[in-house]
Amino acid sequence: MPGFEAMAWPLAFVLSWQPTRFEAVTAVGDLERDLEGLRALGYAGVELAVRDPATVPVPSLKALLERCGLQVPAIGTGQAWVEEGLSLTHPDPAVRRAALARLEAHLELAAEWGALVIIGLIRGRRMEGVSRAQALDWLSEALVRLADRAASHRVRLAVEPLNRYETDLLNTVEEALSLIEPLGLSHVGVLLDTFHANIEEASLEGAIARVRDRLFHVHIADSNRWAPGWGHLDFDPVLKALREIGYRGWLSAEVLPQPSSEEARAQVVRWARGR
């Protein structure tokens, strides 16, 4: 895969396919201009955050991505929770079924590029009247069903630990692995996001060492969720830990579009070139 010569990993940037209230992604504006701009900066891929896959014109998007020379390493799904309240752990079984159906559509979309599907915010929060054990049981059942569908599409699932201010379910790598490992599903793994991990993990390097070959994808953002280099997170030990476990996936920038989306995209590249 193309990428920066100084980097061990190809670089992607997260764009939202649809307008969203989720602040840490930029919504697509002029799609062709956005994609050409990413490639001109040196990105190898674009991670797509998609609320509803039914809105994605796959043939034309594939043709445009091919012209721009960009890959799609992952499909984000959290906006189905942010915008519609779909959740795998909702007390209403109809909502849980709708969340599953939406994720199955995400898997079909991901299969177009061999991308992985992220299980982040769509797992929801523990709601009133639902015990933690019950919520995790529902989540486990959903992962087993989704994993079977993912296998048929030859794509993978990545569970993303999120910080405590966004969910009370699976905040750390250890908690994610405690759910995933007993299921025995080789194509279900973990996404590590440096912003969330910086809040929740005692050691980012320790979390990376613990997850090892279950690490399927990495989101990069600084301590303030701005582009790397614009906060106080020391990335050198993190990148060293990734090398030590032999990580061969992507680094995908999921950052606030601050001070502007264009400046954030350029800063990610400057940071990467400085590695």
Side-chain angles (χ1 to χ4, degrees), residues 17-31:
W17 181 255
Q18 295 153 306
T20 179
R21 290 177 291 167
F22 184 54
E23 295 178 345
V25 294
T26 302
V28 166
D30 181 319
L31 179 60

Side-chain angles (χ1 to χ4, degrees), residues 132 161 170-182 190 192 200-201 206-211:
R132 178 178 176 81
L170 308 185
N171 303 123
T172 66
V173 161
E174 188 61 47
E175 290 172 351
L177 289 174
S178 294
L179 181 77
I180 292 168
E181 289 180 332
V190 172
L192 184 137
E200 297 295 343
E201 303 289 352
I208 292 168
R210 170 68 178 92
V211 70

Side-chain angles (χ1 to χ4, degrees), residues 64 92 94 109-110 153 174 214 221 223 234 238 245 256:
L64 179 56
D92 184 343
L109 179 65
H153 288 298
E174 188 61 47
R214 285 279 187 178
S223 56
D234 183 0
V238 174
I245 67 166
L256 290 169

Side-chain angles (χ1 to χ4, degrees), residues 26-191:
T26 302
V28 166
D30 181 319
L31 179 60
E32 186 167 1
R33 183 187 63 191
D34 285 341
L35 296 181
E36 289 179 344
L38 289 177
R39 187 57 187 171
L41 285 168
Y43 287 91
V46 56
E47 179 180 318
L48 295 174
V50 178
R51 178 179 62 80
D52 185 353
T55 66
V56 180
V58 172
S60 60
L61 178 57
K62 289 184 77 171
L64 179 56
L65 285 162
E66 186 173 348
R67 288 201 304 273
C68 294
L70 292 171
Q71 299 179 56
V72 180
I75 301 292
T77 62
Q79 290 172 31
W81 160 255
V82 174
E83 308 295 341
E84 300 179 55
L86 299 185
S87 163
L88 296 174
T89 59
H90 198 281
D92 184 343
V95 175
R96 298 199 303 275
R97 287 194 297 270
L100 269 172
R102 182 65 57 83
L103 284 166
E104 289 170 351
H106 280 106
L107 288 168
E108 292 182 11
L109 179 65
E112 298 288 343
W113 293 281
L116 60 81
V117 171
I118 299 167
I119 308 297
L121 287 167
I122 199 168
R123 66 176 170 272
R125 300 178 59 90
R126 189 162 57 87
M127 301 182 77
E128 184 176 356
V130 178
S131 69
R132 178 178 176 81
Q134 177 63 82
L136 292 177
D137 281 348
W138 283 333
L139 185 53
S140 294
E141 291 169 7
L143 286 175
V144 169
R145 175 171 169 177
L146 290 167
D148 182 64
R149 186 63 62 90
S152 69
H153 288 298
R154 298 184 178 181
V155 299
R156 299 185 298 171
L157 297 166
V159 176
E160 181 181 13
L162 301 169
N163 75 71
R164 72 196 79 170
Y165 307 108
E166 297 188 26
T167 184
D168 52 2
L169 296 171
L170 308 185
N171 303 123
T172 66
V173 161
E174 188 61 47
E175 290 172 351
L177 289 174
S178 294
L179 181 77
I180 292 168
E181 289 180 332
L183 302 179
L185 302 167
S186 62
H187 50 293
V188 179
V190 172
L191 184 163

